[in-house]
Amino acid sequence: MKIEIPKPSLSRICMVYNLLGELENEGVTLISSNEIGARLGLGAHSIRKDFSFLTEIGNSGAKYDVSNLRAHIGRELKINRKRKACIAGLGRLGSAILNYDMFSHSGYEIVAGFDSNINIIETLKTNIRLFPAYQIPDIVKNEGIELAVIAVPADAAQLTAERLITGGIRGIVNFSPSVIKINSDSVFISNIDVVKEFQVLSAFMGLNEED
Amino acid sequence: MKIEIPKPSLSRICMVYNLLGELENEGVTLISSNEIGARLGLGAHSIRKDFSFLTEIGNSGAKYDVSNLRAHIGRELKINRKRKACIAGLGRLGSAILNYDMFSHSGYEIVAGFDSNINIIETLKTNIRLFPAYQIPDIVKNEGIELAVIAVPADAAQLTAERLITGGIRGIVNFSPSVIKINSDSVFISNIDVVKEFQVLSAFMGLNEED
DNA sequence: TAGATTGTTAATCGATTAACAATC
DNA sequence: TAGATTGTTAATCGATTAACAATC
């Protein structure tokens, strides 16, 4: 089986999935595409269209059952699957993410941190096990780590990615501003560059400015 | 004047702008759309098409002059413009971004940090001035701060955004997982959700898995 | 049943890729 | 000049929006 779902749809469906979790906690049991859209700032069209990429949701004509829908999405997209993750690069940003509270309820468990600087590994206070960078391939393989965050300086990003891939990593969130080149097309990379976000915002602002 | 440039193009042009900066430092003076594309993992088509949204670059038929091109993009998109920024929410992630090295060379100066917890404000070690969250509107207005990072818990994101907008903020990078609703269409928001990135990667991985 | 809501097909819109004449 | 490269127009592709019959 090889389902194809557009990336934007996938991203929105994840938002819906998280929203449904909140709704469950609030005790809401039924919800319409309209209400989902309103809560997420999207059109009801969009929500229903996205759902159409999933197999049989079940109840045409009636509102969605919050718990069923959430379970269905989780199963279909395997978002509910627990996966192990690691952080490569333990500078300010990396060490913040290492202990990031948001992961605790997320199903993703951060089981290792890596840095090329032995000093950092020895002094950083955390419960998570830390290793020197050259051990990335071994640890990733042995621990069965599937996801990684790269938070190393730009000039170390490529090497770090290669080590992760050697270890068998399957998904990477790259916080470094450099472009990572891979040949494997079974490794997924998503890039986050805070400075670039500022630049893009600044450009939008600039287009509305006069002088 | 009201130039319209698609968001994806804008994002790529920022990447080019940053690349040109590196090339300048390396002493490269001329570069083709082909080489730019190769360095950024994009097609040469794409680069040239993106440039076509800018006004007159000048030299049809000949390679681009690195310095000129960079200056041109900077001027046109006002990316070179210095702007003040602030961080709202000084937990792990917020305080990491507060002192994030990448900003030092970026033209964006972080001039203030905010948190609703007075303890944090008093104990955090930094050269940047810190204030309680209720002062956001005043400080943003008085300091002329244009950009902000929101790194508060989900349930405080909306209030924080409103305070920033009251102060006259013009661009927001939202690291909280909640959707921010605004009516002003002159405030630009870009959302970054690390956990969601993991979910999306996980979903892509899931679509390629069997069981 | 009547009103509301879904799921999907069709229509619009926008972005990417390709092609090529104009320029150096 | 000849080869390389740009800038832009046209063609393809994909995603969003709208519409509506089928369902509850």
Side-chain angles (χ1 to χ4, degrees), chain B residues 1 5 24 26 39 48 60 82 86 99 103 108 116 135 141 157 159 171 187 196 207:
Chain B
M1 124 203 147
I5 306 182
E24 252 181 345
E26 293 172 17
R39 300 268 299 230
R48 293 206 301 279
S60 161
K82 301 238 177 299
C86 67
N99 296 295
F103 282 116
Y108 306 108
S116 56
Q135 287 189 28
K141 189 168 292 169
L159 172 61
V187 178
K196 205 185 80 180
L207 295 177

Side-chain angles (χ1 to χ4, degrees), chain A residues 78-163:
Chain A
K78 305 204 178 70
I79 308 180
N80 56 356
R81 182 165 293 191
K82 301 238 177 298
R83 299 189 195 267
K84 290 184 183 175
C86 67
I87 315 292
L90 302 172
R92 284 187 216 281
L93 192 58
S95 56
I97 297 172
L98 190 73
N99 296 296
Y100 193 36
D101 306 320
M102 297 299 176
F103 282 116
S104 38
H105 304 285
S106 73
Y108 306 108
E109 190 194 0
I110 295 172
V111 298
F114 301 97
D115 201 288
S116 56
N117 183 341
I118 301 294
N119 256 359
I120 288 184
I121 292 175
E122 285 173 351
T123 57
L124 201 63
K125 269 192 67 175
T126 173
N127 290 324
I128 296 158
R129 293 196 299 159
L130 306 180
F131 306 90
Y134 70 85
Q135 287 189 27
I136 290 175
D138 280 349
I139 304 290
V140 167
K141 188 168 292 168
N142 294 340
E143 296 286 326
I145 298 172
E146 296 185 284
L147 291 162
V149 170
I150 291 183
V152 302
D155 57 9
Q158 183 64 36
L159 172 61
T160 304
E162 284 164 9
R163 282 170 165 166

Side-chain angles (χ1 to χ4, degrees), chain A residues 31-104:
Chain A
I31 193 163
S32 68
S33 57
N34 224 310
E35 294 166 284
I36 295 176
R39 301 269 299 230
L40 298 179
L42 303 166
H45 318 283
S46 207
I47 303 297
R48 293 206 302 277
K49 176 73 191 181
D50 291 341
F51 287 173
S52 75
F53 291 111
L54 274 35
T55 60
E56 281 291 319
I57 284 186
N59 48 330
S60 161
K63 290 193 180 190
Y64 301 102
D65 181 289
V66 171
S67 302
N68 283 354
L69 181 54
R70 181 172 153 92
H72 185 71
I73 293 174
R75 221 177 306 117
E76 192 89 8
L77 259 41
K78 305 204 178 70
I79 308 180
N80 56 356
R81 182 165 293 191
K82 301 238 177 298
R83 299 189 195 267
K84 290 184 183 175
C86 67
I87 315 292
L90 302 172
R92 284 187 216 281
L93 192 58
S95 56
I97 297 172
L98 190 73
N99 296 296
Y100 193 36
D101 306 320
M102 297 299 176
F103 282 116
S104 38

